[in-house]
Amino acid sequence: MAESPHHDVTGSGPVLLIVPGGAGHPMGFGPLTERLARRFTVVTYDPLGLAHGRLGLPVPDQRPADWSEGAHRLLQAVLPPGERAYAFGTSSGGIAVLDLAARHPERLAGVVAHEPPCVTVLPDGAERRAELLAQFDGAGRPPAEGESATPMGVFLAHVLRPFTAHVPAVPAAGARLTLAAGAGSRGQLLYRTGELLADRLGGSFVEFPGGHLGTLDHPEEFAGLLTATFLSGAHTSA
């Protein structure tokens, strides 16, 4: 039997799968997962194993399907028979959970995708994506391989381009879908993207604390709203 994808587990209760952003390294997620573990069995997925000894090793270009299929295998390993999980992803992780919802809705009770950078869905998406990529092009990018490799280097080299080109499919009936963006992101590119995706994919739109890094900057408030979104069924639009 294949080995389960790299992950960490904490807490007890219904299974909540977390897919971090960037290159999937869960750095900085400790305060958030600690709070969520009061109500959930938090399964933090590390799709490239960067926090599990693989940082610095060669990494191929990634696809959202790579991450979502890994997440599905992980859910098969950790979910009790007959149960469904909640799933939360932010940034590139938000794209992964949207793809997971489209491919395997039968394993999910609810999905929250926070600021997924699927900018090509916008009417001016090609232009906006080009501008986004231009912000990170050029010399001085951190390395993606070797002893000095960083998660940001891996993200810029192998995740950013393919993930921002992704167009999410409409999920089949099953998982309750919520698109989220930070209050600090109002008027910005990923807030617009979240609002449009909520309408296109038939989901709700909820405004969360902070900006793109609200998971790190406001873990207490973020965890509280995420818990309420999953467990109460109350989807209050911003």
Side-chain angles (χ1 to χ4, degrees):
M1 184 175 181
E3 191 174 317
S4 296
H6 296 286
H7 67 283
D8 296 290
V9 180
T10 185
S12 60
V15 171
L16 167 55
L17 175 73
I18 290 183
V19 187
H25 193 300
M27 57 186 171
F29 268 68
L32 179 71
T33 57
E34 178 183 340
R35 288 158 176 79
L36 291 170
R38 300 167 186 167
R39 298 293 298 274
F40 300 96
T41 297
V42 181
V43 180
T44 305
Y45 175 36
D46 177 9
L48 298 179
L50 300 185
H52 293 81
R54 296 193 56 82
L55 181 60
L57 298 179
V59 173
D61 287 345
Q62 298 295 292
R63 302 176 305 149
D66 298 327
W67 289 24
S68 67
E69 288 303 318
H72 180 237
R73 294 196 307 273
L74 180 54
L75 289 180
Q76 288 179 308
V78 302
L79 268 180
E83 291 191 14
R84 297 194 295 170
Y86 298 100
F88 167 74
T90 184
S91 192
S92 51
I95 294 177
V97 298
L98 288 177
D99 197 61
L100 178 64
R103 293 172 182 273
H104 303 287
E106 73 284 353
R107 301 314 308 267
L108 300 169
V111 173
V112 174
H114 177 256
E115 300 207 2
C118 306
V119 295
T120 57
V121 302
L122 295 168
D124 56 349
E127 182 181 354
R128 299 286 80 80
R129 179 172 179 264
E131 292 175 353
L132 182 65
L133 294 176
Q135 294 177 27
F136 298 101
D137 280 339
R141 296 201 313 186
E145 294 182 19
E147 292 183 0
S148 57
T150 67
M152 178 57 77
V154 177
F155 169 69
L156 295 178
H158 300 296
V159 179
L160 177 63
R161 286 183 176 276
F163 272 56
T164 53
H166 181 69
V167 178
V170 177
R176 192 173 64 238
L177 178 63
T178 301
L179 274 296
S185 299
R186 288 179 192 166
Q188 298 179 14
L189 178 62
L190 298 188
Y191 198 101
R192 289 173 51 209
T193 302
E195 289 182 308
L196 188 148
L197 282 173
D199 181 66
R200 177 174 291 188
L201 301 179
S204 300
F205 180 80
V206 175
E207 188 176 271
F208 270 68
H212 192 62
L213 300 180
T215 53
L216 309 183
D217 297 335
H218 302 279
E220 184 77 45
E221 299 92 335
F222 204 103
L225 182 53
L226 187 59
T227 298
T229 302
F230 281 136
L231 297 186
S232 73
H235 294 255
T236 303
S237 298

